[in-house]
């Protein structure tokens, strides 16, 4: 009874606020009506490899032109949001605004998309940061998302199964070709976590997918480390406006 009374008092003092605008909402970690409408959740037909939305409807796996022309090293992929409008805002708030609370609700959004990819003994693994960048940022946003996603799906996760073998520059503004060249062999399985990857299906997790270069490097590292299958799930997918 005391716990319920305390919760009531806390809700009066600290009422639930919208994750984006700070307006009052009914539940913790929610979005108000206006922010929900402006958040580009992905629904309907999408590319089975990278999650980018596709026109029309289909009852089978479909792929975008990019994934048809450049096959991905992973088997299937999905995304929760488009990286624009409030989708972009949420990613930047998580990544640069120390808004770790966003990861908890985002993990649920990602889980709804990733559930069809699940299989026995699957483990969620975040794309790693180089230690230098990790030290500067103090956290890995992809690890926060992987933890929340794993909890929502009821699977295991490892925050440090992969590591950056070398420091790479920021990829913003680089061409697709330059991104892939920069990240070649930059990621590997951490030697002390090799047993976690070997002979298991892996669900790679990242905050944003642009060209797919980072996820490709991470997927290739997992496969080289003996992963049985690799799928990917990201919070937001960059896509050209129609």
């Amino acid at each position: 009874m005391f716990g319920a009374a305390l919760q009531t008092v806390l809700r009066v003092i600290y009422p639930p606020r919208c994750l984006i605008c700070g307006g009052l909402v009914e539940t913790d970690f929610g979005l108000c009506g206006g922010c929900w409408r402006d958040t580009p959740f992905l629904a309907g037909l999408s590319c089975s490899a990278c999650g980018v939305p596709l026109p029309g409807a289909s009852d089978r796996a479909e792929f975008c032109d990019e994934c048809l022309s450049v096959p991905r090293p992973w088997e299937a992929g999905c995304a929760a949001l488009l990286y624009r409008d409030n989708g972009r805002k949420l990613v930047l708030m998580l990544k640069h605004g120390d808004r770790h609370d966003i990861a908890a609700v985002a993990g649920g959004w990602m889980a709804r998309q990733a559930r069809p990819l699940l299989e026995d003994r699957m483990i969620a693994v975040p794309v790693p940061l180089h230690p230098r960048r990790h030290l500067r940022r103090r956290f890995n946003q992809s690890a926060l998302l992987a933890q929340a996603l794993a909890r929502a799906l009821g699977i295991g996760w490892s925050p440090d199964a992969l590591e950056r073998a070398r420091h790479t520059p920021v990829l913003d503004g680089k061409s697709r070709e330059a991104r892939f060249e920069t990240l070649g062999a930059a990621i590997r399985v951490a030697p002390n976590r090799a047993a976690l990857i070997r002979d298991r299906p892996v669900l790679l997790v990242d905050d944003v997918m642009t060209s797919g270069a980072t996820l490709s490097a991470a997927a290739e590292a997992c496969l080289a480390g003996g992963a049985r299958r690799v799928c990917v799930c990201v919070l937001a997918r960059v896509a050209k406006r129609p």
Side-chain angles (χ1 to χ4, degrees):
M1 183 178 296
F2 175 76
L6 179 60
Q7 288 295 321
T8 300
V9 171
L10 288 174
R11 282 188 172 273
V12 171
I13 300 175
Y14 304 108
R17 298 281 181 176
C18 173
L19 283 173
I20 295 176
C21 73
L24 293 174
V25 293
E26 294 183 0
T27 59
D28 291 320
F29 309 118
L31 298 176
C32 67
C35 287
W36 183 273
R37 287 191 301 271
D38 293 335
T39 301
F41 290 97
L42 281 166
L45 185 63
S46 62
C47 175
S48 295
C50 73
V52 74
L54 297 174
S58 177
D59 57 1
R60 64 179 187 179
E62 301 288 350
F63 300 91
C64 67
D65 291 342
E66 184 176 356
C67 289
L68 286 172
S69 61
V70 184
R72 308 293 187 178
W74 61 84
E75 289 192 20
C78 61
L81 309 169
L82 283 174
Y83 186 68
R84 63 178 182 232
D85 306 323
N86 279 349
R88 181 176 183 274
K89 187 177 294 184
L90 283 164
V91 169
L92 294 179
M93 290 166 67
L94 169 63
K95 192 171 184 175
H96 301 298
D98 285 346
R99 289 290 306 277
H100 296 192
D101 55 318
I102 290 172
V105 66
W109 299 338
M110 295 165 73
R112 286 196 289 271
Q113 301 290 80
R115 201 167 298 279
L117 308 179
L118 284 184
E119 62 178 276
D120 186 47
R121 298 182 67 240
M122 180 169 266
I123 184 171
V125 172
V127 168
L129 291 177
H130 188 272
R132 191 187 309 168
R133 189 166 295 160
H134 201 156
L135 182 63
R136 187 164 61 243
R137 191 175 292 167
R138 305 190 312 282
F139 66 96
N140 179 359
Q141 71 279 358
S142 298
L144 297 178
L145 292 171
Q147 181 182 29
L149 175 59
R151 184 182 297 118
L153 293 175
I155 63 174
W157 78 293
S158 173
D160 56 355
L162 296 177
E163 63 183 17
R164 294 267 180 167
R166 57 184 174 81
H167 180 67
T168 55
V170 175
L171 300 178
D172 294 348
K174 289 185 178 292
S175 67
R176 186 181 189 283
E177 293 73 18
R179 287 170 178 261
F180 276 82
E181 183 179 351
T182 298
L183 284 161
I187 298 175
R188 66 186 179 191
V189 173
N192 63 338
R193 294 290 184 265
L196 287 175
I197 298 294
R198 192 177 302 115
D199 296 325
R200 294 181 70 173
V202 171
L203 182 61
L204 278 175
V205 181
D206 206 359
D207 56 346
V208 180
M209 177 178 173
T210 304
S211 67
T214 303
L215 286 163
S216 290
E220 288 167 356
C222 289
L223 293 171
R228 181 160 53 83
R229 177 177 184 245
V230 178
C231 296
V232 304
C233 181
V234 298
L235 174 56
R237 176 70 168 100
V238 174
K240 296 177 181 177
R241 289 184 181 272

